[in-house]
Amino acid sequence: MAQKQFDKVAKQIEIDDATKDLLRNPMREYHFNIPVKMDDGTVKVFRGFRVQHNDARGPGKGGIRFHPDETVDTVRALSMWMTWKCSLLDLPLGGSKGGVICDPHNLSNREQENICRGWVRQVARNIGPLQDVPAPDIMTNGAHMLWMLDEYETIMGGKFPGLITGKPVGMGGSLGRTEATGYGVVYVVREALKELGIQANKTQAAFQGFGNVSQYAIRKYQELGGKAICVSSWSQADQKAFTIKNNAGIDVDSLLSITDRFGGINPQKAKELGNEVLPGDAWIEQDVDILFPCALENQITEKNVTKIKSRVRLIAEGANGPTTPEADKVIHERGIYLLPDFLANAGGVTCSYFEQVQSNMNYYWTKEEVLEKLDQKMTHAYHEVHKLAQKRKVYMRDAAYMIAINRVAQASKERGWV
Ligand code: GLU
């Protein structure tokens, strides 16, 4: 999917074959085993990855995901999207991604700590503040980042807060980092609504996912006056997704009181709180103005794209890669305005960059300063993409790709690589 998107745009811009070859595949990848002593005394071997797609513009940057369905191919695609994301936001960073095939639902904290430490032991010499800087992603958080940092500092002998971002506040983390991705999605939605001449407080929206991105996106969207009527989640007990609907509006705080640490809402309790519980795909077929896919990749597909109601004017991709190329074609043809993932969800990595800057200075900004800088960066990137899309009469995703690819191609050329 990532390569298909790249190929489509590479044809429309002037880049030579060598540059295409360079950017179409990751520069480096590490695959390794992580043996872990489990709480019951047995040893389990987990599979870990770090993929460095491109570092022409600066040290690699990107999260580490813990997921049972992780594969090296998803990590490859995600690393490539990180390159475009950092480039589009004009951050002096490249793109990387990491992962471990595991399900934290079934792991104790001690077992997760051992996976984190084991992951770092395998790649300690290949990551670093000036080489490649990890961060949280799906099912990883500040606690995981701190275990990883601690292991790295033990191996390297020193303090290196710039190794990793998404650290807890007070331990080198930045205020606003937790909120950054979700808030960032809504900053660009706010700008897009202005361009479309739609008043935010007259809109309704449906969200997919109730993890870190979605929780803060819903709150920010509600601050704009929008009405979130629907959110989907994952039931670990039933091993399937479901959707929560509330025509009076989703109450994030009440849902959080019945949500596990991975964003899984308890469907039974949600019903007791007065919400409707619908099938997993129901979020996409709501009569709303805005759709926010904020869960995983490959969620809007050829099969369900036809369920999107004619009222939908805007799709904001809070997740990485939620739309397959086939579904994307349909969205484009229907003229729905799209905020592509590596623009819409770039708030997380942008705040990670601010965290690095603060860690390097050992001087920390207020939350207001962080969020103001974040808003400026996101708003600027949005207008760059929108302007190019208008000027060249291309789809928003393609315009974002054009800007991002051109910058990385230019950096690779100036370094004399191609
Ligand atoms: N995992 C987040 C993303 O996909 C953040 C990455 C980072 O902060 O480096 O953008």
Side-chain angles (χ1 to χ4, degrees), residues 120-331:
V120 169
R121 281 199 293 278
Q122 296 303 323
V123 282
R125 314 237 161 243
N126 311 108
I127 57 172
L130 304 176
Q131 263 172 291
D132 182 8
V133 182
D137 198 78
I138 288 169
M139 289 204 267
T140 55
N141 58 34
H144 299 95
M145 298 305 109
L146 205 58
W147 289 323
M148 289 182 164
L149 176 64
D150 187 68
E151 188 67 23
Y152 182 84
E153 291 181 335
T154 306
I155 295 169
M156 296 307 194
K159 294 292 171 197
F160 302 92
L163 167 77
I164 209 157
T165 61
K167 300 181 290 290
V169 172
M171 291 300 292
S174 172
L175 289 164
R177 176 64 184 85
T178 313
E179 298 88 340
T181 315
Y183 279 14
V185 176
V186 179
Y187 294 152
V188 291
V189 164
R190 181 196 62 209
E191 295 305 306
L193 289 175
K194 278 189 221 158
E195 287 295 342
L196 295 171
I198 301 172
Q199 274 176 278
N201 60 5
K202 299 228 165 82
T203 62
Q204 297 198 345
F207 291 74
Q208 186 192 29
F210 196 59
N212 177 257
V213 180
S214 190
Q215 288 169 18
Y216 288 100
I218 296 174
R219 285 191 197 278
K220 208 48 176 181
Y221 173 66
Q222 289 173 333
E223 272 178 40
L224 290 186
K227 193 172 190 187
I229 59 156
C230 190
V231 62
S232 83
S233 180
W234 173 257
S235 165
Q236 185 62 13
D238 308 326
Q239 285 291 299
K240 63 174 193 217
F242 64 95
T243 302
I244 296 222
K245 190 171 178 189
N246 195 324
N247 286 328
I250 292 296
D251 181 348
V252 175
D253 286 325
S254 97
L255 288 182
L256 279 178
S257 69
I258 53 163
T259 298
D260 67 23
R261 64 203 154 109
F262 308 107
I265 302 169
N266 181 321
Q268 199 48 45
K269 289 189 180 153
K271 224 183 238 172
E272 288 162 22
L273 287 173
N275 300 287
E276 242 181 292
V277 177
L278 304 170
D281 237 10
W283 71 276
I284 205 174
E285 54 195 31
Q286 297 302 313
D287 195 31
V288 291
D289 308 282
I290 312 171
L291 292 177
F292 288 85
C294 298
L296 280 171
E297 55 276 352
N298 289 324
Q299 298 301 305
I300 306 182
T301 64
E302 220 171 350
K303 282 203 190 102
N304 64 12
V305 70
T306 48
K307 294 184 182 168
I308 296 179
K309 291 272 189 299
S310 57
R311 176 170 160 195
V312 173
R313 297 282 306 276
L314 174 61
I315 298 178
E317 295 184 327
N320 290 312
T323 312
T324 66
E326 297 76 27
D328 204 32
K329 204 163 163 263
V330 176
I331 291 170

Side-chain angles (χ1 to χ4, degrees), residues 61-63 82 85 97 133 135-137 165 177 320 345 348-349 352:
K61 188 83 195 76
M82 285 311 303
K85 203 182 294 192
K97 199 84 179 194
V133 182
D137 198 78
T165 61
R177 176 64 184 85
N320 290 312
N345 71 36
V349 73
S352 275

Side-chain angles (χ1 to χ4, degrees), residues 13-130:
I13 54 178
E14 283 161 29
I15 52 170
D16 54 60
D17 287 345
T19 309
K20 257 183 240 172
D21 274 351
L22 182 80
L23 301 184
R24 215 175 171 276
N25 291 292
M27 296 196 332
R28 263 169 250 113
E29 26 185 87
Y30 304 93
H31 302 208
F32 40 86
N33 285 337
I34 309 172
V36 170
K37 285 204 182 69
M38 306 299 281
D39 291 350
D40 65 4
T42 60
V43 174
K44 219 168 154 186
V45 180
F46 294 90
R47 212 57 201 137
F49 310 102
R50 185 71 179 171
V51 176
Q52 299 170 342
H53 173 260
N54 187 286
D55 56 12
R57 288 177 47 86
K61 188 83 195 76
I64 302 171
R65 176 179 291 196
F66 283 2
H67 201 279
D69 299 335
E70 197 64 18
T71 70
V72 67
D73 268 316
T74 50
V75 184
R76 283 179 181 133
L78 290 159
S79 73
M80 192 174 184
W81 285 326
M82 285 311 303
T83 302
W84 311 139
K85 203 182 294 192
C86 293
S87 169
L88 185 63
L89 270 287
D90 213 3
L91 308 176
L93 297 166
S96 293
K97 199 84 179 194
V100 178
I101 306 174
C102 68
D103 189 352
H105 289 97
N106 309 323
L107 296 166
S108 71
N109 275 345
R110 204 195 63 88
E111 289 165 342
Q112 291 185 51
E113 176 179 345
N114 284 342
I115 293 180
C116 288
R117 292 186 185 277
W119 190 95
V120 169
R121 281 199 293 278
Q122 296 303 323
V123 282
R125 314 237 161 243
N126 311 108
I127 57 172
L130 304 176

